[in-house]
Amino acid sequence: MEICEIAHEVEFSFEFMDWNSGIQNIYGLEIRIARELLGENRRNHIPLDVLEYCFSKKVKKALRYPQVLREDQIADCSSRFLDMELLLALYNMIGLGETGLFTEINSNWEKNEEAINIYIECLKDE
């Protein structure tokens, strides 16, 4: 949680705010951890400049729901890299999904949550 909170003090330039840069993921992970472990709602902690960038550049429209699942990459990877692909997918599904910024992920939230649980179970089995 503290690692996520460190990002609150950092001024990120706009090139770091694209949907695949990871900044939104940090906030999404914080939101998820705070909800599950602390019972807090932190959705309103996303900085205004990140929100404005996402809306002004239509970054949220660039991401499509199936992309976060990384199904093609997971199907094509060897078992040696399966854990890494599952973790990358979880990072995006949870990180981007929890922000509420990505319309297509939000509209498929039940499927996203189901995939999160499946991927976590796969990692436990590895």
Side-chain angles (χ1 to χ4, degrees):
M1 179 65 100
E2 292 171 6
I3 292 170
C4 297
E5 291 172 342
I6 290 171
H8 293 221
E9 305 300 319
V10 178
E11 289 289 325
F12 294 101
S13 61
F14 285 116
E15 58 266 15
F16 288 103
M17 290 189 206
D18 194 326
W19 74 265
N20 61 0
S21 68
I23 303 308
Q24 291 93 337
N25 294 57
I26 291 170
Y27 286 102
L29 290 172
E30 177 186 346
I31 291 165
R32 179 83 170 219
I33 293 166
R35 186 181 73 241
E36 289 192 4
L37 296 181
L38 306 174
E40 296 177 7
N41 179 356
R42 293 197 180 181
R43 265 206 176 160
N44 58 350
H45 286 202
I46 301 171
L48 188 57
D49 62 336
V50 173
L51 292 174
E52 287 174 351
Y53 180 78
C54 287
F55 293 121
S56 70
K57 299 290 184 179
K58 299 189 178 17
V59 172
K60 69 179 194 168
K61 293 184 189 295
L63 181 66
R64 296 290 170 239
Y65 169 70
Q67 287 174 282
V68 298
L69 298 179
R70 298 181 66 87
E71 291 174 318
D72 292 342
Q73 293 91 333
I74 289 169
D76 291 342
C77 80
S78 68
S79 60
R80 180 176 166 204
F81 298 107
L82 181 60
D83 288 355
M84 181 184 70
E85 287 297 339
L86 290 169
L87 284 171
L88 288 170
L90 282 168
Y91 182 61
N92 283 328
M93 287 188 287
I94 293 170
L96 298 174
E98 291 289 345
T99 64
L101 296 174
F102 299 91
T103 308
E104 200 163 318
I105 295 175
N106 296 341
S107 64
N108 289 286
W109 189 248
E110 284 106 25
K111 289 191 276 186
N112 191 55
E113 275 292 323
E114 185 178 313
I116 288 170
N117 292 327
I118 290 169
Y119 287 22
I120 289 171
E121 286 303 314
C122 287
L123 286 168
K124 285 180 183 177
D125 292 341
E126 289 293 317

